[in-house]
Amino acid sequence: MPAITGHFTFTDWKENPVTEEGTLPRLAHATVTNTFSGGIEAESTTCDYAIAYLTGTTGAFTGAELVGGRVDDRPGTFVLEERGRFEADGSVHCSFEVVEGSGTGELTGLRGSGGFTYRHGQTEVPYTFTYELE
């Protein structure tokens, strides 16, 4: 299975509380736009997160990200299912997997997984992605 790497940047983050602010644990919903470069090329993804804050600075999230662009120069679209946690030091750890059957175009039959670790202050976040095409 090919393993590729690259970086992504957060180009937009809109977060709204689901439960009352100031209570813990609490829930929030975020809509995020990312730009990928490297093995995955995508100018503007759409990502939707459900976030559980356990403290003011720690918690967990799940989400789905619609990626339209290229994987190793193959054009198409696919969806990533994401799961992660964030720590008091500002780091975020996330793993993701391609939603089975979501690949289109030359990415039809795409399967794969990967992840990233964000460190507080980074403007470009490195990712890894291992995939195969049927």
Side-chain angles (χ1 to χ4, degrees), residues 66-70 74-79 102-108 110:
L66 177 63
V67 180
R70 301 173 101 60
R74 294 177 183 90
T77 303
F78 60 97
V79 176
S102 67
T104 67
E106 290 185 28
L107 299 176
T108 299
L110 178 69

Side-chain angles (χ1 to χ4, degrees), residues 11-47:
T11 57
D12 192 27
W13 180 286
K14 293 180 182 150
E15 187 173 324
N16 295 302
V18 174
T19 56
E20 186 177 328
E21 291 278 348
T23 62
L24 292 171
R26 71 179 174 87
L27 299 177
H29 176 260
T31 303
V32 181
T33 304
N34 294 316
T35 299
F36 281 79
S37 62
I40 299 173
E41 295 281 338
E43 286 187 30
S44 182
T45 68
T46 302
C47 187

Side-chain angles (χ1 to χ4, degrees), residues 2 14 25 57 61 68 85 88-89 91 109 123:
K14 293 180 182 150
T57 58
F61 62 91
R85 69 185 191 284
D89 65 2
S91 64
T123 56

Side-chain angles (χ1 to χ4, degrees), residues 3-8 36 40 49 61 65 80-85 92-98 112-118 122 125-131:
I4 57 177
T5 61
H7 291 83
F8 72 91
F36 281 79
I40 299 173
Y49 288 122
F61 62 91
E65 185 163 13
L80 293 174
E81 181 179 1
E82 303 179 7
R83 180 176 302 273
R85 69 185 191 284
V92 176
H93 309 277
C94 179
S95 60
F96 52 79
E97 186 170 335
V98 174
S113 61
F116 66 85
T117 297
Y118 165 83
Q122 283 181 310
V125 181
Y127 67 83
T128 60
F129 182 58
T130 303
Y131 74 94

